[in-house]
Amino acid sequence: ATNQSRPSAAIDPQPTLAAAECSGERAAACATLARRYEQGHGVPRDLSRAHSLYEQACDGGHGLACGRLGRLYYDGRGVPQNYERAAALFVRGCGQGSLETCGILGYVHAHGQGVQQDYARARVLYRQACDGGVLRICGTLGMMYANGRAGPRDETRARQLLQQACDGGSSEACSNLGAIYDGGLGSPPDHGRASELFGRACDDGYLMGCVNLAGLYLNGHGVPQDYQIARELFGDACDS
């Protein structure tokens, strides 16, 4: 999302306060200020400063700060890209109680980035994050059930988890759930339900949702066949 400029009088003075308190056990203040420097919220964007503050917060026991520091290394933002360093920080952050970071650690285990690929370990970590309320990770776990990764395929459980993630705001999960209904995975195809889910994802700006919805209009599955709408949806996705 585009950051909107605000009048200088509206800038929260908290960064100055947080900086003064960013010592000892005040790891949360460090993490808060680091996030502002990372995103440029109320302070000039400064990834070097964000890195330093995340590191202080992580050392102070703030698990999410470890995870966000790991993301800087994973993405190569402000530091050289280093999957091994990122994975080590994700392990640390998950161990310090950050469920969001546990979900990210599951991802790197699933893809073998900085750690040995291990679907079983990824599934455990995804479940831990999902059960803890990180709803978008429920969608990722759902796809593991759908694909039979690290365990038997379970289409019913996959749909439940994807629905949970979709209801929690994950457009990707809505699109993936739509694909399951469209393809009839574990049950007869339901193109009408698929069109609803693809439309929801597309309206939220998820391009694959738009592409999938275009395919339904192209073939007249679950919606009246309409080449013009299909062309517009394909075009919008291509131009994005």
Side-chain angles (χ1 to χ4, degrees), residues 12-132:
D12 190 341
Q14 183 63 29
T16 302
L17 297 176
E21 297 171 353
C22 188
S23 61
E25 297 181 357
R26 297 188 181 275
C30 294
T32 297
L33 185 55
R35 187 66 164 170
R36 294 190 180 193
Y37 275 112
E38 181 187 359
Q39 299 184 330
H41 287 173
V43 294
R45 188 169 181 268
D46 186 338
L47 291 178
S48 177
R49 180 69 174 139
H51 177 282
S52 175
L53 288 163
Y54 277 142
E55 193 165 48
Q56 290 180 57
C58 180
D59 289 344
H62 197 282
L64 184 56
C66 297
R68 287 176 173 167
L69 179 60
R71 282 303 301 263
L72 294 182
Y73 280 100
Y74 182 87
D75 295 329
R77 290 187 298 121
V79 292
Q81 190 175 55
N82 187 328
Y83 286 153
E84 289 75 17
R85 174 67 173 144
L89 286 161
F90 296 151
V91 169
R92 191 173 173 187
C94 181
Q96 291 176 352
S98 170
L99 293 171
E100 179 178 324
T101 304
C102 292
I104 298 171
L105 180 59
Y107 181 90
V108 298
H109 273 289
H111 293 83
Q113 296 172 318
V115 293
Q116 185 173 353
Q117 189 175 53
D118 186 340
Y119 289 126
R121 180 62 179 151
R123 190 163 172 167
V124 168
L125 289 160
Y126 286 152
R127 185 179 298 112
Q128 183 178 348
C130 175
D131 290 346

Side-chain angles (χ1 to χ4, degrees), residues 197-226:
L197 289 160
F198 291 151
R200 184 171 172 180
C202 182
D203 289 344
D204 286 342
Y206 187 69
L207 296 184
M208 278 307 302
C210 300
V211 170
N212 290 332
L213 182 59
L216 294 184
Y217 276 104
L218 184 66
N219 296 297
H221 289 168
V223 292
Q225 189 174 53
D226 191 318

Side-chain angles (χ1 to χ4, degrees), residues 127-171:
R127 185 179 298 112
Q128 183 178 348
C130 175
D131 290 346
V134 187
L135 294 182
R136 62 183 176 79
I137 298 299
C138 298
T140 308
L141 179 60
M143 291 307 296
M144 292 199 82
Y145 278 104
N147 296 322
R149 290 277 171 83
R153 179 176 289 178
D154 187 336
E155 293 87 354
T156 299
R157 184 63 176 143
R159 287 195 297 272
Q160 290 172 344
L161 287 163
L162 285 163
Q163 186 68 64
Q164 186 177 352
C166 178
D167 291 342
S170 171
S171 301

